[in-house]
Amino acid sequence: MKWTRVLLACVAAVAAGGACADDTAEGSGKAAIIAALGLEPHVEGGYFARTFQPDHRPKVATPAGPRYTMTAIHYLLTDDSPIGHLHRNESDIVHFYHLGSPVEYYLLHPDGRLETAVLGPDLAAGQRLQLTVRGGVWKASHLPSGEYGLISEAVAPGFDYADMALGKRAALLEAFPQHADIVRAFTRD
């Protein structure tokens, strides 16, 4: 219950143009959000928690096997984990901005095209509240400044680790030589 109050205070502070700060012994705004939402480290970087999977519905058939019709997560990038490294999902994903600093996205399409987008609250500056990424697109996210950026993702068909590939630098440099700077910045090896 305490963390629910802390998270609601963070939401109210950010909505009023302020910052999310936790004055308790547990730490900063990002620590409060991680605790309140039960977030864990994600393999691609940042923190996440699955928030929904439709156990009440039959799974859908995909070439890789049965999957939930959709799943949803909270996803948090922080100043100490600011990169969601390049990865590709087979499913379509809709991203929703919630709180904190803007989050930059870099999308490498199968035809070689680079698309960029910023999820954030400043619509007048071209930031977006929602971003759709089709399956098969390589995606990286980045928190360029600030303590944290909180988004959610809705994935359809539902997310399964078997449907996700983490980017390998050498292979992506070969596939996207024209975007070598992006590949180097957002891969681990």
Side-chain angles (χ1 to χ4, degrees):
M1 207 52 182
K2 172 188 170 199
W3 287 111
T4 302
R5 288 191 302 274
V6 170
L7 183 60
L8 290 174
C10 284
V11 171
V14 171
C20 176
D22 176 16
D23 60 4
T24 67
E26 283 79 11
S28 67
K30 68 184 174 196
I33 291 170
I34 289 167
L37 298 177
L39 304 179
E40 299 175 359
H42 197 294
V43 66
E44 71 197 38
Y47 301 87
F48 85 106
R50 184 172 281 193
T51 59
F52 178 74
Q53 63 187 34
D55 293 315
H56 63 288
R57 297 190 184 279
K59 291 186 175 182
V60 296
T62 74
R67 300 288 184 259
Y68 289 107
T69 53
M70 71 160 290
T71 55
I73 65 167
H74 288 305
Y75 183 68
L76 181 76
L77 290 176
T78 64
D79 52 3
D80 56 350
S81 187
I83 295 174
H85 292 88
L86 277 165
H87 62 287
R88 183 185 64 215
N89 291 291
E90 295 302 318
S91 296
D92 300 329
I93 303 176
V94 183
H95 306 72
F96 304 93
Y97 171 80
H98 292 299
L99 294 172
S101 297
V103 177
E104 297 175 346
Y105 283 83
Y106 300 88
L107 311 175
L108 297 175
H109 291 267
D111 64 5
R113 204 169 26 97
L114 170 66
E115 178 184 355
T116 61
V118 179
L119 287 184
D122 192 349
L123 302 180
Q127 296 174 4
R128 300 162 61 172
L129 299 176
Q130 181 176 311
L131 171 68
T132 300
V133 179
R134 291 180 184 252
V137 173
W138 290 95
K139 171 183 76 171
S141 54
H142 179 231
L143 181 72
S145 64
E147 184 184 12
Y148 66 87
L150 177 66
I151 67 148
S152 287
E153 297 180 3
V155 184
F159 179 83
D160 190 297
Y161 280 104
D163 302 332
M164 183 184 99
L166 288 172
K168 300 290 185 194
R169 182 172 291 160
L172 290 174
L173 285 171
E174 186 175 323
F176 302 103
Q178 70 277 34
H179 304 302
D181 54 338
I182 299 296
V183 171
R184 286 189 187 97
F186 298 111
T187 52
R188 289 188 174 120
D189 61 358

